[in-house]
């Protein structure tokens, strides 16, 4: 008898949504439980009544409305400024063929591999000197430079292969460098710019170390710092930890869902059609 070969199927992430969403569902269940309900039935049981006490308690303890606004302001500003700075740098390096291009690219690449722990003291000293310590502006400037280093390296590689016939046609029509940038380069590379915007926002939203060092005032803290401070004070409060985690990740999930189509289109299409 000939044995038929057995097919080995490996489920992809989108084919096992229950497995991917299971941790998030556990967080949601425990965020809406009363502490007595959790102690009696465990973390995996359905809530016997939906309670908002843990969420409202966390919201009032850390003034989450202000903290959420701080993270939105910082992440949004870094995403916009980082994409803009990356675009200008990459336009000069990739399309302008700036002299010493390789040296600049190596410099931007090194900026991506340096650990934040090695940068914290010089950045702290500079922030003190220019009176930006304990200011959200310092965080915006620092992360704009850090994120744009990656964006410059990525976009300059893309722009190095930009179709020269489009640039020559624009030059024949009398377009200067600024018109070429805004009327030719930006429209074609919009999908890649959308991807960078999404990544810069989420990466900045999740940053913890530098905001912890530079933002001392509680009214200026970001969401990850507020979550860490609360968990350090109430390590045994499971429902409070679940509620804080839910409120901390929910805005990032909503932002990702809003820009999911932009992200998918940018990865699939690329910068140059």
């Amino acid at each position: 008898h000939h044995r038929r070969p057995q097919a080995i199927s490996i489920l992809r992430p989108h084919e096992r949504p229950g497995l991917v969403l299971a941790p998030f569902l556990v967080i949601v269940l425990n965020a809406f439980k009363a502490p007595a309900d959790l102690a009696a039935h465990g973390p995996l049981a359905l809530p016997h009544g939906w309670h908002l006490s843990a969420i409202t308690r966390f919201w009032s303890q850390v003034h989450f409305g202000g903290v959420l606004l701080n993270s939105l302001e910082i992440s949004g500003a870094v995403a916009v400024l980082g994409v803009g700075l990356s675009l200008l740098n990459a336009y000069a390096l990739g399309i302008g063929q700036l002299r010493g291009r390789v040296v600049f690219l190596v410099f931007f690449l090194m900026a991506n591999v340096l650990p934040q722990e090695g940068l914290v003291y010089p950045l702290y000293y500079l922030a003190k000197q220019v009176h930006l310590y304990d200011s959200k502006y310092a965080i915006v400037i620092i992360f704009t430079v850090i994120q744009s280093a990656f964006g410059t390296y990525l976009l300059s590689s893309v722009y190095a292969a930009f179709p020269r016939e489009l640039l020559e046609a624009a030059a024949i029509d009398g377009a200067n460098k600024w018109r070429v940038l805004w009327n030719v380069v930006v429209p074609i590379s919009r999908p890649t710019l959308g991807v960078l915007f999404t990544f810069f926002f989420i990466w900045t939203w999740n940053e913890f170390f530098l905001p912890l060092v530079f933002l001392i005032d509680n009214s200026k803290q970001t969401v990850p710092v507020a979550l860490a401070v609360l968990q350090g004070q109430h390590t045994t409060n499971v429902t409070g930890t679940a509620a804080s985690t839910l409120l901390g990740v929910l805005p990032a999930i909503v932002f990702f869902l809003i820009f999911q189509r932009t992200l998918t289109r940018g990865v699939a299409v690329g910068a140059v059609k």
Side-chain angles (χ1 to χ4, degrees), residues 24 27 55 58-59 64-73 75-76 197-198 201-206 222-224 227 242-260:
F24 183 74
I27 293 175
I55 294 178
F58 167 74
W59 192 286
F64 189 74
V67 172
L68 180 62
L69 183 60
N70 292 337
S71 286
L72 289 174
E73 291 177 348
S75 301
F197 178 85
T198 305
F201 185 94
I202 295 178
W203 290 346
T204 307
W205 182 278
N206 293 329
T222 59
V223 170
L227 294 179
S244 63
T245 304
L246 176 63
L247 291 178
V249 302
L250 194 58
I253 293 176
V254 172
F255 177 85
F256 178 80
L257 292 177
I258 293 174
F259 289 92
Q260 181 182 15

Side-chain angles (χ1 to χ4, degrees), residues 42-57:
L44 299 181
L46 292 175
H48 290 69
W50 298 86
H51 300 270
L52 297 175
S53 57
I55 294 178
T56 56
R57 189 183 308 113

Side-chain angles (χ1 to χ4, degrees), residues 44-262:
L44 299 181
L46 292 175
H48 290 69
W50 298 86
H51 300 270
L52 297 175
S53 57
I55 294 178
T56 56
R57 189 183 308 113
F58 167 74
W59 192 286
S60 61
Q61 282 178 341
V62 300
H63 304 288
F64 189 74
V67 172
L68 180 62
L69 183 60
N70 292 337
S71 286
L72 289 174
E73 291 177 348
I74 292 174
S75 301
V78 170
V80 173
L81 296 176
V83 170
L85 185 58
S86 301
L87 175 64
L88 296 177
N89 291 339
Y91 181 66
L93 294 175
I95 292 180
Q97 296 295 330
L98 186 68
R99 183 173 299 179
R101 173 177 178 272
V102 176
V103 177
F104 282 103
L105 289 179
V106 172
F107 172 78
F108 285 116
L109 182 61
M110 291 179 60
N112 282 281
V113 300
L114 288 176
Q116 293 184 358
E117 291 79 5
L119 298 173
V120 63
Y121 179 73
L123 291 176
Y124 169 82
Y125 179 79
L126 289 175
K128 281 285 191 179
Q129 291 296 109
V130 297
H131 307 288
L132 285 179
Y133 185 68
D134 196 21
S135 171
K136 291 185 286 187
Y137 292 110
I139 297 297
V140 170
I141 294 173
I142 291 171
F143 283 123
T144 295
V145 175
I146 292 176
Q147 308 292 25
S148 65
F150 171 80
T152 300
Y153 179 77
L154 175 65
L155 283 177
S156 60
S157 302
V158 173
Y159 288 166
F162 198 89
R164 294 292 164 180
E165 57 272 14
L166 295 179
L167 303 177
E168 295 172 359
I172 293 175
D173 291 339
N176 56 24
K177 293 182 178 180
W178 284 105
R179 287 193 61 187
V180 171
L181 173 62
W182 297 114
N183 297 336
V184 178
V185 176
V186 171
I188 293 179
S189 58
R190 188 174 290 114
T192 303
L193 298 179
V195 171
L196 286 180
F197 178 85
T198 305
F199 282 164
F200 288 174
F201 185 94
I202 295 178
W203 290 346
T204 307
W205 182 278
N206 293 329
E207 287 290 345
F208 170 75
F209 181 64
L210 290 181
L212 177 67
V213 174
F214 283 86
L215 300 178
I216 304 301
D217 191 347
N218 291 336
S219 63
K220 301 175 183 177
Q221 287 180 348
T222 59
V223 170
V225 176
L227 294 179
V229 171
L230 180 67
Q231 292 175 1
Q233 294 176 348
H234 306 280
T235 55
T236 58
N237 188 354
V238 179
T239 57
T241 301
S244 63
T245 304
L246 176 63
L247 291 178
V249 302
L250 194 58
I253 293 176
V254 172
F255 177 85
F256 178 80
L257 292 177
I258 293 174
F259 289 92
Q260 181 182 15
R261 182 174 299 178
T262 300

